[in-house]
Amino acid sequence: MSKVHVMNHPLILHKLSLMRDCQTGVKEFREATREIAMLMCYEATRDLPLKTIQIETPLAHASARVISGKKLAFVPILRAGLGMVDGMLELIPNAKVGHLGLYRDPETLKPVDYYCKLPVDIAERDVILIDPMVATGGSAAAAIQMLKDKGVKHIKLMCLLSTPTGIETVQKAHDDVDIFVAAIDEGLNEHGYIVPGLGDAGDRIFGTK
Ligand code: PRP
Ligand code: URA
């Protein structure tokens, strides 16, 4: 079974509370999304392999450790996942970025895919799939399947909020995908929104409502 890493860092929880508050405006919401993504990226990349290289410091010869192994790709699920990309790129500026377009049908709550543009060598990369919200889990599970169909073997899912149902759905469909989540909320309302949640992440990031 995959691992679920629930972030309990005070900085993440503080910024998440700001995002939950309905009084928080677009600018602050966007900034908090970017900042939490950066902090979570730090946690989600703890297991990156290192190799030793030889360097000269101003004082002496030294063995130094640098990141090695497979290259990374970040894949945001459109739209809301876009809000997390810049914070992650601040830590890993050389990562490639792919895009998956999925929206959730408001009646059936099933994901509908409308866009897919991935780095040509995506199958050789480790992927961090990003979306602030994993509600029913349908969009995340479908996105993971799209990546696997393109040959991707190592995927981590990073989200800000989820629910027990959302986590279970993703784990049942993809028990090889570790999940990094800032908080797991109580559940879903009758429209499939996370409660207490933070509302519609895409609308709050882009100011569309
Ligand atoms: C939101 C969110 C996820 C999805 C989660 O996207 O960003 O992609 O819903 O719901 P699920 O876990 O029940 O599938 P939305 O469909 O609102 O599209 P948007 O990002 O373009 O607003
Ligand atoms: N998508 C969102 O943006 N928010 C939710 O609570 C559920 C799905």
Side-chain angles (χ1 to χ4, degrees):
M1 186 56 86
S2 70
K3 289 200 194 86
V4 181
H5 306 260
V6 184
M7 303 292 130
N8 52 11
H9 193 290
L11 285 175
I12 293 178
L13 297 180
H14 180 89
K15 289 172 194 297
L16 189 58
S17 299
L18 191 75
M19 294 180 71
R20 290 181 185 279
D21 189 337
C22 64
Q23 302 293 337
T24 299
V26 171
K27 175 178 178 287
E28 288 75 22
F29 191 92
R30 228 180 250 156
E31 283 169 358
T33 306
R34 188 181 62 79
E35 289 165 359
I36 296 179
M38 193 192 315
L39 294 166
M40 291 184 73
C41 182
Y42 176 82
E43 285 296 329
T45 52
R46 259 184 199 286
D47 62 348
L48 285 183
L50 293 166
K51 66 179 177 188
T52 302
I53 59 165
Q54 303 304 314
I55 58 164
E56 298 295 328
T57 77
L59 300 180
H61 182 80
S63 296
R65 292 193 296 167
V66 294
I67 290 167
S68 73
K70 278 210 281 181
K71 292 179 180 158
L72 279 176
F74 300 146
V75 178
I77 299 179
L78 307 180
R79 290 175 299 168
L82 284 177
M84 299 172 71
V85 176
D86 286 351
M88 297 175 66
L89 285 176
E90 279 184 46
L91 290 189
I92 307 180
N94 284 324
K96 295 281 168 60
V97 181
H99 296 86
L100 291 180
L102 288 171
Y103 72 88
R104 200 171 67 152
D105 183 289
E107 300 298 323
T108 64
L109 300 184
K110 298 287 176 222
V112 181
D113 65 285
Y114 61 91
Y115 189 73
C116 175
K117 183 75 181 173
L118 299 168
V120 282
D121 58 352
I122 193 73
E124 276 78 58
R125 289 178 179 268
D126 289 347
V127 170
I128 303 184
L129 177 68
I130 51 186
D131 191 330
M133 312 302 275
V134 172
T136 64
S139 302
I144 293 166
Q145 193 56 54
M146 288 168 81
L147 292 170
K148 287 184 173 176
D149 290 345
K150 298 283 181 188
V152 182
K153 285 168 203 71
H154 297 109
I155 303 169
K156 290 173 182 168
L157 171 64
M158 189 190 291
C159 61
L160 305 191
L161 283 187
S162 190
T163 60
T165 315
I167 299 282
E168 193 186 324
T169 298
V170 173
Q171 283 193 310
K172 269 198 182 148
H174 304 286
D175 69 358
D176 54 331
V177 174
D178 284 356
I179 302 171
F180 294 79
V181 55
I184 301 176
D185 278 8
E186 286 157 27
L188 299 169
N189 71 9
E190 65 275 26
H191 305 294
Y193 277 86
I194 297 176
V195 180
L198 50 74
D200 189 303
D203 283 338
R204 294 196 67 189
I205 290 169
F206 296 106
T208 39
K209 243 183 204 159

